[in-house]
């Protein structure tokens, strides 16, 4: 079997076409949606992600502001900027690119963002609302993955889903969304005993480990939907995911490529959350 490709560039473009119209409607009513992105340090991957987020805003008609700080900046400088952005009526979403340098208390920084501007959905209130199935900002990467299922017509009810990776950014919210959609969810990590056995039972397999090509085709149930959240740089400079794509594509029914799978969907859903936030501000 050769899997169908879940193309994040194509789905992202499709969704973003509607976003531009929405942004223009809001702007016409006096609320141009605005996103502030904060980048601390020189991590190359983060720089690329932030640039892509800012460019995506421009294409969708969303105002954006980028604030970059050196690795050794005092955390208070960033906290002061967040406080100013919390009070800035031009800004409806604030994103602090992770990871932060080691001398930062990342939780304290995230908690400094006003809950109504937490378009990443990482604050405790948002996470709590997500767990309870209440309205919230859904973290962008798992939100984008759910859009793939919707687009491909994958019914999650009663399915066995395995999420490999337990980060606050992806693994935990992903598990929650799959659970809300009616799947039976197992959360594993790279050290889980019999990881292979767990993966082999998965109708839906989400890999968010950060280890290049760790999920090999012998770990995949024939016909499974395979979502690869990993973005790893190989020694030759090329990107690869956490899944060994070349062998997995012959076993899976659907699979995301890297690059061009989940990555563009994360950015797409950041735009969606920023628009949603602007809409809420406009109606209050
Ligand atoms: N680093 C990796 N993924 C993300 C994300 O979705 N949001 C933020 N803020 N940082 C990240």
């Amino acid at each position: 079997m050769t899997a169908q490709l879940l193309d994040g560039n194509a789905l992202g473009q499709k969704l973003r076409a509607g976003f531009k119209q929405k942004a223009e409607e809001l702007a016409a009513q006096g609320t141009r949606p605005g996103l502030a992105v904060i980048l601390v340090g020189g991590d190359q991957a983060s720089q690329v992600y932030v640039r892509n987020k800012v460019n995506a805003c421009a294409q969708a008609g969303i105002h954006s502001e980028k604030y970059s700080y050196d690795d050794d900046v005092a955390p208070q400088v960033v906290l002061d900027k967040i406080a100013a952005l919390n009070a800035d009526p031009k800004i409806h979403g604030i994103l602090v690119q992770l990871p932060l340098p080691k001398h930062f208390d990342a939780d304290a920084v995230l908690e400094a963002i006003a809950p109504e501007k937490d378009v990443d959905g990482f604050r405790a209130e948002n996470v709590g609302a997500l767990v309870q199935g209440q309205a919230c900002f859904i973290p962008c990467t798992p939100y984008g993955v759910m859009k793939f299922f919707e687009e491909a017509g994958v019914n999650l009810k009663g399915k066995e889903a395995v999420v490999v990776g337990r980060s606050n950014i992806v693994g935990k919210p992903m598990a929650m969304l799959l659970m809300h959609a009616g799947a039976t969810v197992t959360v594993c990590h790279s050290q889980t005993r019999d990881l292979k056995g767990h993966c082999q039972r998965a109708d839906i397999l989400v890999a968010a480990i950060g280890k290049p090509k760790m999920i090999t085709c012998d770990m995949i149930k024939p016909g499974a939907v395979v979502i690869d959240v990993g973005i790893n740089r190989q020694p030759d400079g090329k990107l690869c995911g956490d899944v060994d794509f070349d062998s997995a594509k012959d076993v899976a029914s659907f699979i995301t490529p890297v690059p061009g799978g989940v990555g563009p969907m994360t950015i797409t859903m950041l735009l969606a959350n920023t628009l949603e936030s602007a809409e809420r501000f406009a109606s209050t």
Side-chain angles (χ1 to χ4, degrees):
M1 187 199 305
T2 298
Q4 270 179 265
L5 213 58
L6 296 169
D7 182 340
N9 286 317
L11 180 56
Q13 284 309 320
K14 185 170 140 184
L15 296 174
R16 289 184 209 189
F19 294 171
K20 187 154 191 223
Q21 194 179 343
K22 180 104 238 152
E24 281 162 8
E25 279 167 21
L26 282 163
Q29 293 161 22
T31 306
R32 172 162 298 283
L35 175 72
V37 183
I38 294 176
L39 173 64
V40 186
D43 180 80
Q44 288 224 322
S46 288
Q47 288 183 358
V48 173
Y49 299 150
V50 164
R51 194 187 321 135
N52 289 343
K53 287 170 184 177
V54 168
N55 289 342
C57 281
Q59 284 165 16
I62 295 174
H63 164 73
S64 71
E65 298 177 7
K66 177 181 150 194
Y67 298 94
S68 299
Y69 299 95
D70 290 340
D71 267 301
D72 58 357
V73 69
Q76 193 58 47
V77 172
V78 175
L79 292 170
D80 288 347
K81 175 51 75 182
I82 292 173
L85 293 166
N86 283 342
D88 185 341
K90 294 191 301 304
I91 296 301
H92 308 98
I94 302 171
L95 178 143
V96 177
Q97 185 66 30
L98 300 175
L100 286 166
K102 287 203 167 42
H103 66 288
F104 272 78
D105 175 350
D107 287 339
V109 171
L110 296 177
E111 294 297 323
I113 298 171
E116 64 276 17
K117 296 191 179 185
D118 177 27
V119 287
D120 250 336
F122 294 161
R123 280 190 53 120
E125 286 95 332
N126 247 308
V127 177
L130 179 67
V131 170
Q132 297 201 336
Q134 295 167 0
C136 62
F137 289 119
I138 302 173
C140 306
T141 298
Y143 195 4
V145 172
M146 296 306 283
K147 290 286 169 190
F148 275 131
F149 298 139
E150 209 178 294
E151 176 76 3
V154 175
N155 180 7
L156 297 165
K157 211 163 275 174
K159 299 282 170 58
E160 290 285 338
V162 171
V163 178
V164 191
R166 52 184 166 165
S167 70
N168 292 344
I169 296 177
V170 182
K172 289 175 196 166
M174 186 79 253
M176 206 49 63
L177 290 170
L178 287 163
M179 210 177 80
H180 288 321
T184 302
V185 184
T186 304
V187 180
C188 301
H189 53 83
S190 61
Q191 305 298 312
T192 295
R193 188 157 44 88
D194 193 22
L195 176 62
K196 182 174 173 177
H198 286 291
C199 291
Q200 284 174 335
R201 284 188 288 278
D203 303 307
I204 313 289
L205 181 60
V206 180
I209 319 157
K211 295 201 184 300
K213 303 186 185 181
M214 187 179 173
I215 304 294
T216 47
C217 63
D218 56 321
M219 299 168 80
I220 298 172
K221 179 176 177 177
V225 178
V226 177
I227 304 289
D228 192 349
V229 180
I231 303 179
N232 309 290
R233 193 156 303 271
Q234 301 178 95
D236 65 3
K238 289 196 182 132
L239 294 177
C240 76
D242 292 347
V243 177
D244 180 25
F245 180 87
D246 288 338
S247 63
K249 73 177 183 342
D250 293 329
V251 183
S253 59
F254 289 96
I255 190 166
T256 58
V258 176
V262 172
M265 291 306 295
T266 296
I267 298 180
T268 301
M269 303 326 290
L270 172 65
L271 303 177
N273 281 350
T274 303
L275 287 173
E276 189 183 322
S277 179
E279 212 168 3
R280 285 190 211 161
F281 272 93
S283 67
T284 52

